[in-house]
Amino acid sequence: MDLRVIDKSDTELSIEIAGEDHTFMNVIKGALLETDGVTAATYDVNPEQSGGQTDPVLTIKTEEHVDALDALEDGTDRVIEKADSFSAAFESAA
């Protein structure tokens, strides 16, 4: 997975995530919205409205005391935890 930082401040982060689609982007956005201190998480995959961009751009906004990059890390940890939990439940059901 290739990431490219488009814009970064303490409370806002926009990154392009190469090769991903709505499936992954909805998962990471949902996990970010469940993360403490995140005030907004959204993504854009529409190249016509984005000046020709073809890879999705994830934007995160946080409260003043929460660094946006730390929030992204917390959100990705949440995705990993949910995937591990689902995998364990699936294995125990089989």
Side-chain angles (χ1 to χ4, degrees):
M1 176 180 299
D2 292 326
L3 306 175
R4 182 175 65 93
V5 175
I6 295 172
D7 188 34
K8 165 81 173 90
S9 70
D10 288 342
T11 60
E12 189 169 338
L13 175 67
S14 292
I15 58 172
E16 185 177 62
I17 304 176
E20 296 301 332
D21 59 17
H22 290 289
T23 304
F24 176 77
M25 298 307 295
N26 274 312
V27 170
I28 192 68
K29 179 187 84 168
L32 284 164
L33 291 172
E34 295 173 353
T35 301
D36 289 338
V38 173
T39 59
T42 187
Y43 70 92
D44 178 23
V45 293
N46 188 336
E48 290 187 21
Q49 293 180 352
S50 305
Q53 148 253 333
T54 57
D55 289 315
V57 174
L58 176 69
T59 301
I60 305 163
K61 294 182 182 182
T62 63
E63 296 172 354
E64 288 295 320
H65 67 280
V66 178
D67 184 87
L69 198 53
D70 290 340
L72 177 60
E73 182 177 7
D74 292 346
T76 56
D77 288 344
R78 185 181 303 273
V79 170
I80 292 167
E81 290 170 11
K82 286 184 176 189
D84 288 345
S85 176
F86 176 81
S87 181
F90 182 81
E91 289 297 321
S92 68

